[in-house]
Amino acid sequence: MCYNFFLGGTMGRIIQVWLLALILVGITGSALKAKNDSNSDFKFERNWKEALENGKKNGQPVFIDFYTDWCPPCKKLASTTLKDPKMALYFNRQNYILIKINPEKDREAENKFKVYSYPTLVVFDDKGNEVDRILGYRSTDALIAELDNIKKGIGTLKDLLSKYKKKDRDFPLMFKIVDKYIARADYS
Protein backbone atom coordinates (compact mmCIF):
# COMPACT_ATOMS: atom_id res chain seq x y z
CA MET A 1 0.00 0.00 0.00
CA CYS A 2 2.79 2.47 0.89
CA TYR A 3 4.59 1.52 -2.30
CA ASN A 4 1.57 2.46 -4.42
CA PHE A 5 1.09 5.73 -2.57
CA PHE A 6 4.68 6.95 -3.16
CA LEU A 7 5.39 5.49 -6.57
CA GLY A 8 2.09 4.74 -8.17
CA GLY A 9 -0.80 6.95 -9.28
CA THR A 10 -0.98 10.71 -9.50
CA MET A 11 0.42 11.39 -6.04
CA GLY A 12 3.35 9.10 -6.79
CA ARG A 13 4.15 11.03 -10.00
CA ILE A 14 4.03 14.35 -8.13
CA ILE A 15 6.43 13.04 -5.51
CA GLN A 16 8.74 11.68 -8.21
CA VAL A 17 8.81 15.05 -10.01
CA TRP A 18 9.53 16.90 -6.76
CA LEU A 19 12.30 14.48 -5.81
CA LEU A 20 13.84 14.81 -9.26
CA ALA A 21 13.64 18.62 -9.03
CA LEU A 22 15.29 18.60 -5.58
CA ILE A 23 18.07 16.35 -6.83
CA LEU A 24 18.71 18.59 -9.85
CA VAL A 25 18.72 21.73 -7.70
CA GLY A 26 21.16 20.06 -5.32
CA ILE A 27 23.49 18.99 -8.12
CA THR A 28 23.36 22.41 -9.79
CA GLY A 29 23.89 24.20 -6.48
CA SER A 30 26.88 21.99 -5.66
CA ALA A 31 28.41 22.64 -9.07
CA LEU A 32 27.99 26.40 -8.71
CA LYS A 33 29.39 26.35 -5.17
CA ALA A 34 32.39 24.32 -6.34
CA LYS A 35 32.96 26.83 -9.14
CA ASN A 36 32.73 29.80 -6.76
CA ASP A 37 34.91 28.13 -4.13
CA SER A 38 37.62 27.25 -6.63
CA ASN A 39 39.20 30.66 -6.07
CA SER A 40 41.10 30.15 -9.33
CA ASP A 41 41.72 33.86 -9.86
CA PHE A 42 43.71 34.13 -6.62
CA LYS A 43 47.18 32.69 -6.74
CA PHE A 44 48.83 33.01 -3.35
CA GLU A 45 52.55 32.34 -3.30
CA ARG A 46 53.92 29.92 -0.70
CA ASN A 47 57.51 31.14 -0.44
CA TRP A 48 57.38 34.73 0.83
CA LYS A 49 61.13 35.38 0.45
CA GLU A 50 61.08 34.33 -3.18
CA ALA A 51 57.84 36.23 -3.87
CA LEU A 52 59.22 39.47 -2.36
CA GLU A 53 62.41 39.08 -4.41
CA ASN A 54 60.37 38.45 -7.57
CA GLY A 55 58.31 41.56 -6.84
CA LYS A 56 61.48 43.67 -6.69
CA LYS A 57 63.00 42.03 -9.73
CA ASN A 58 59.84 42.32 -11.87
CA GLY A 59 58.67 45.69 -10.55
CA GLN A 60 55.45 44.29 -9.07
CA PRO A 61 53.69 45.39 -5.89
CA VAL A 62 53.29 42.72 -3.19
CA PHE A 63 50.30 42.08 -0.92
CA ILE A 64 50.80 39.87 2.15
CA ASP A 65 47.86 38.54 4.16
CA PHE A 66 48.98 37.57 7.68
CA TYR A 67 46.32 35.35 9.21
CA THR A 68 45.83 32.66 11.84
CA ASP A 69 43.59 29.61 11.82
CA TRP A 70 41.73 30.69 14.99
CA CYS A 71 41.01 34.32 13.97
CA PRO A 72 37.33 35.03 13.07
CA PRO A 73 38.09 38.26 11.09
CA CYS A 74 40.79 36.33 9.17
CA LYS A 75 38.28 33.62 8.28
CA LYS A 76 35.74 36.23 7.18
CA LEU A 77 38.35 38.01 5.04
CA ALA A 78 39.38 34.71 3.45
CA SER A 79 35.81 33.54 2.80
CA THR A 80 34.42 36.83 1.49
CA THR A 81 36.80 39.58 0.37
CA LEU A 82 39.62 37.30 -0.78
CA LYS A 83 37.19 35.12 -2.74
CA ASP A 84 35.34 37.98 -4.39
CA PRO A 85 35.86 38.04 -8.19
CA LYS A 86 35.92 41.86 -7.99
CA MET A 87 38.92 41.64 -5.65
CA ALA A 88 40.64 39.11 -7.93
CA LEU A 89 40.13 41.42 -10.89
CA TYR A 90 41.61 44.33 -8.92
CA PHE A 91 44.71 42.36 -7.90
CA ASN A 92 45.20 41.13 -11.47
CA ARG A 93 44.85 44.61 -12.97
CA GLN A 94 47.29 46.07 -10.44
CA ASN A 95 49.69 43.15 -11.08
CA TYR A 96 50.06 42.26 -7.38
CA ILE A 97 52.00 39.29 -6.15
CA LEU A 98 49.85 37.74 -3.41
CA ILE A 99 51.23 35.98 -0.35
CA LYS A 100 49.44 34.35 2.61
CA ILE A 101 51.42 33.73 5.79
CA ASN A 102 50.33 32.10 9.02
CA PRO A 103 52.90 33.52 11.47
CA GLU A 104 52.14 30.79 14.00
CA LYS A 105 53.58 28.33 11.50
CA ASP A 106 56.29 30.64 10.13
CA ARG A 107 58.06 32.28 13.08
CA GLU A 108 60.74 33.75 10.82
CA ALA A 109 58.10 35.76 8.95
CA GLU A 110 56.46 36.77 12.23
CA ASN A 111 59.78 38.12 13.54
CA LYS A 112 60.77 39.81 10.31
CA PHE A 113 57.47 41.61 9.77
CA LYS A 114 56.64 42.11 13.48
CA VAL A 115 53.01 41.16 13.11
CA TYR A 116 50.97 41.25 16.31
CA SER A 117 47.39 41.68 15.11
CA TYR A 118 45.30 39.56 12.74
CA PRO A 119 44.54 39.90 9.97
CA THR A 120 47.38 42.23 9.02
CA LEU A 121 47.66 43.11 5.36
CA VAL A 122 51.07 44.45 4.35
CA VAL A 123 51.58 46.27 1.06
CA PHE A 124 54.96 46.63 -0.66
CA ASP A 125 55.65 48.84 -3.65
CA ASP A 126 57.24 47.63 -6.87
CA LYS A 127 60.71 48.30 -5.42
CA GLY A 128 60.18 46.02 -2.41
CA ASN A 129 59.64 48.78 0.15
CA GLU A 130 56.90 48.38 2.74
CA VAL A 131 54.36 51.11 2.03
CA ASP A 132 51.58 50.50 4.52
CA ARG A 133 49.67 48.06 6.70
CA ILE A 134 45.98 47.46 7.01
CA LEU A 135 44.83 45.95 10.28
CA GLY A 136 41.59 44.00 10.52
CA TYR A 137 38.83 42.83 8.23
CA ARG A 138 37.81 44.90 5.20
CA SER A 139 34.99 44.35 2.74
CA THR A 140 35.94 44.16 -0.94
CA ASP A 141 35.01 47.77 -1.68
CA ALA A 142 36.71 49.08 1.47
CA LEU A 143 39.91 47.13 0.73
CA ILE A 144 40.02 48.30 -2.88
CA ALA A 145 39.54 51.91 -1.77
CA GLU A 146 42.28 51.57 0.83
CA LEU A 147 44.68 49.94 -1.62
CA ASP A 148 43.98 52.70 -4.16
CA ASN A 149 44.81 55.31 -1.51
CA ILE A 150 48.00 53.47 -0.60
CA LYS A 151 48.99 53.37 -4.28
CA LYS A 152 48.43 57.15 -4.47
CA GLY A 153 50.39 57.64 -1.24
CA ILE A 154 47.35 58.89 0.66
CA GLY A 155 47.24 58.08 4.37
CA THR A 156 50.52 56.15 4.40
CA LEU A 157 53.14 56.76 7.08
CA LYS A 158 55.23 58.69 4.55
CA ASP A 159 52.25 60.91 3.69
CA LEU A 160 51.39 61.55 7.34
CA LEU A 161 55.00 62.38 8.25
CA SER A 162 55.16 64.79 5.31
CA LYS A 163 52.09 66.59 6.60
CA TYR A 164 53.58 66.67 10.08
CA LYS A 165 56.82 68.22 8.80
CA LYS A 166 54.80 70.94 7.07
CA LYS A 167 53.72 72.10 10.55
CA ASP A 168 50.27 70.53 10.30
CA ARG A 169 50.64 69.19 13.84
CA ASP A 170 47.13 68.61 15.05
CA PHE A 171 46.37 65.80 17.49
CA PRO A 172 44.37 63.59 15.08
CA LEU A 173 47.34 63.60 12.69
CA MET A 174 49.75 62.72 15.49
CA PHE A 175 47.51 59.85 16.59
CA LYS A 176 47.41 58.50 13.01
CA ILE A 177 51.21 58.60 12.89
CA VAL A 178 51.48 56.78 16.21
CA ASP A 179 48.97 54.16 14.97
CA LYS A 180 51.11 53.58 11.87
CA TYR A 181 54.22 53.04 14.00
CA ILE A 182 52.35 50.71 16.34
CA ALA A 183 51.02 48.69 13.39
CA ARG A 184 54.65 48.16 12.31
CA ALA A 185 55.72 47.41 15.90
CA ASP A 186 58.25 50.23 15.45
CA TYR A 187 58.68 51.87 18.83
CA SER A 188 61.94 53.69 18.15
Side-chain angles (χ1 to χ4, degrees):
M1 179 108 172
C2 286
Y3 175 78
N4 277 343
F5 178 75
F6 285 109
L7 300 178
T10 306
M11 186 58 100
R13 289 282 177 223
I14 292 171
I15 291 173
Q16 287 175 348
V17 169
W18 274 104
L19 286 174
L20 181 61
L22 287 172
I23 290 170
L24 290 174
V25 167
I27 290 170
T28 305
S30 296
L32 289 174
K33 184 176 182 339
K35 182 181 179 206
N36 289 338
D37 287 349
S38 69
N39 210 12
S40 61
D41 292 329
F42 288 87
K43 182 180 181 248
F44 287 96
E45 300 295 327
R46 299 272 183 223
N47 184 330
W48 59 267
K49 292 177 191 174
E50 191 176 290
L52 283 171
E53 194 57 42
N54 285 340
K56 275 195 278 189
K57 187 169 51 176
N58 299 324
Q60 291 176 267
V62 176
F63 174 91
I64 303 179
D65 171 20
F66 286 95
Y67 72 97
T68 63
D69 295 328
W70 52 262
C71 163
C74 300
K75 290 178 182 182
K76 185 174 180 182
L77 185 75
S79 67
T80 58
T81 306
L82 297 181
K83 282 200 175 188
D84 189 332
K86 186 176 177 182
M87 195 76 241
L89 184 63
Y90 177 85
F91 282 135
N92 287 336
R93 284 187 177 159
Q94 300 299 319
N95 203 24
Y96 273 96
I97 293 176
L98 306 174
I99 306 169
K100 283 181 85 66
I101 299 174
N102 183 339
E104 292 181 332
K105 296 178 181 172
D106 187 340
R107 295 296 183 188
E108 183 183 0
E110 179 185 39
N111 292 329
K112 176 171 179 51
F113 297 105
K114 300 177 184 171
V115 174
Y116 71 91
S117 175
Y118 305 103
T120 294
L121 310 173
V122 184
V123 180
F124 292 82
D125 65 15
D126 55 5
K127 294 171 185 62
N129 303 309
E130 182 177 327
V131 180
D132 209 0
R133 292 182 180 211
I134 301 167
L135 303 181
Y137 169 80
R138 298 292 190 281
S139 67
T140 299
D141 291 333
L143 183 56
I144 288 172
E146 211 158 338
L147 289 171
D148 280 342
N149 282 339
I150 289 170
K151 185 177 180 182
K152 295 172 191 170
I154 299 170
T156 63
L157 180 59
K158 183 178 179 180
D159 177 47
L160 298 175
L161 288 173
S162 172
K163 289 177 181 176
Y164 182 79
K165 288 177 185 172
K166 291 177 184 175
K167 308 287 188 236
D168 184 13
R169 297 183 179 185
D170 64 339
F171 282 113
L173 175 64
M174 288 189 271
F175 282 120
K176 288 178 185 177
I177 291 170
V178 169
D179 280 344
K180 294 290 182 181
Y181 278 116
I182 290 171
R184 294 175 181 225
D186 183 352
Y187 308 111
S188 54

